[in-house]
């Protein structure tokens, strides 16, 4: 029994020597294929949302200028002539809905659309002779969404010193 233990131990030692000396003669490029080496994956380039949203920002600002011009006309128009002006506001709102936006600007677009729809709803309430309190409540609701739109927009626009805000998108 002690002979068999010595015999097994001797075989193990011989195998280890053979393995150790044998590995020294294997080319290093073959050995390196079996070693676990960390793979460095470059991080994707992050694009600031304001860069992705340039087209949306310029298009929505131009559209909003037209909206405010038309809204000013609506504010000065008598109830009897207001329908055609509201129709123009609805056309502008439809254009706004058609603007394509990057994912990072969806909240801005949504706030703009809700603001426009709420303002149109207020004019339609005025046209249908709802109470002044009801119309004013709808105007206040629209104004709150205009503030929300401006706040959301400030998240994606460059800040005054020319740097972008901290909103980034990683391209997929």
């Amino acid at each position: 029994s002690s002979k068999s233990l010595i015999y097994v131990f001797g075989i193990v030692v011989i195998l280890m020597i053979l393995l150790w000396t044998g590995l020294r003669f294997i080319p290093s490029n073959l050995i390196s294929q079996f070693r676990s080496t960390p793979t460095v994956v470059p991080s994707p380039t992050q694009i600031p949302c304001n860069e992705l949203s340039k087209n949306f920002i310029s298009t929505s600002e131009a559209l909003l200028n037209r909206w405010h011009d038309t809204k000013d006309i609506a504010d000065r128009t008598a109830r009897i002539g207001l329908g055609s002006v509201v129709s123009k506001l609805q056309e502008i709102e439809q254009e706004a809905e058609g603007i394509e936006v990057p994912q990072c600007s969806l909240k801005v677009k949504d706030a703009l659309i809700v603001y426009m729809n709420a303002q149109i709803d207020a004019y339609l309430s005025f046209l249908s002779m709802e109470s002044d309190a009801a119309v004013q409540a709808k105007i206040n609701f629209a104004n709150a969404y205009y503030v929300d739109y401006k706040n959301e927009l400030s998240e994606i626009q460059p800040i005054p010193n020319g740097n972008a805000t901290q909103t980034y998108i990683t391209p997929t």
Side-chain angles (χ1 to χ4, degrees):
S1 134
S2 68
K3 281 186 175 185
S4 57
L5 278 175
I6 295 173
Y7 179 73
V8 170
F9 181 74
I11 291 177
V12 170
V13 170
I14 292 171
L15 286 174
M16 290 187 69
I17 291 171
L18 287 173
L19 282 173
W20 182 74
T21 57
L23 288 177
R24 291 177 47 179
F25 298 107
I26 297 175
S28 60
N29 61 345
L30 289 177
I31 293 174
S32 66
Q33 290 177 5
F34 297 102
R35 287 189 182 143
S36 175
T37 56
T39 305
V40 178
V41 178
S43 64
T45 305
Q46 295 199 331
I47 302 170
C49 185
N50 68 322
E51 287 294 320
L52 291 171
S53 302
K54 277 183 178 180
N55 188 42
F56 164 69
I57 292 170
S58 64
T59 303
S60 65
E61 285 177 350
L63 220 141
L64 201 55
N65 286 336
R66 283 184 30 226
W67 171 269
H68 285 300
D69 290 345
T70 307
K71 183 183 165 306
D72 288 344
I73 293 169
D75 289 343
R76 294 189 309 261
T77 302
R79 189 181 312 233
I80 195 154
L82 191 57
S84 63
V85 182
V86 170
S87 178
K88 289 180 183 176
L89 288 172
Q90 289 170 324
E91 289 172 11
I92 296 170
E93 185 274 336
Q94 287 295 314
E95 283 182 56
E97 282 190 28
I99 299 173
E100 290 188 22
V101 297
Q103 185 71 29
C104 63
S105 297
L106 283 176
K107 285 183 180 181
V108 181
K109 180 182 177 182
D110 290 346
L112 177 63
I113 299 301
V114 171
Y115 159 66
M116 290 177 162
N117 283 324
Q119 191 67 58
I120 290 169
D121 189 43
Y123 284 122
L124 292 175
S125 295
F126 178 73
L127 275 173
S128 64
M129 301 181 131
E130 288 185 25
S131 71
D132 288 347
V135 172
Q136 188 59 51
K138 290 181 179 186
I139 290 170
N140 292 343
F141 180 76
N143 290 340
Y145 269 96
Y146 182 71
V147 170
D148 187 41
Y149 161 75
K150 288 302 230 178
N151 289 338
E152 292 293 340
L153 185 62
S154 72
E155 292 293 317
I156 64 169
Q157 281 188 317
I159 53 179
N161 68 4
N163 294 327
T165 58
Q166 296 300 311
T167 305
Y168 289 90
I169 297 299
T170 302
T172 53

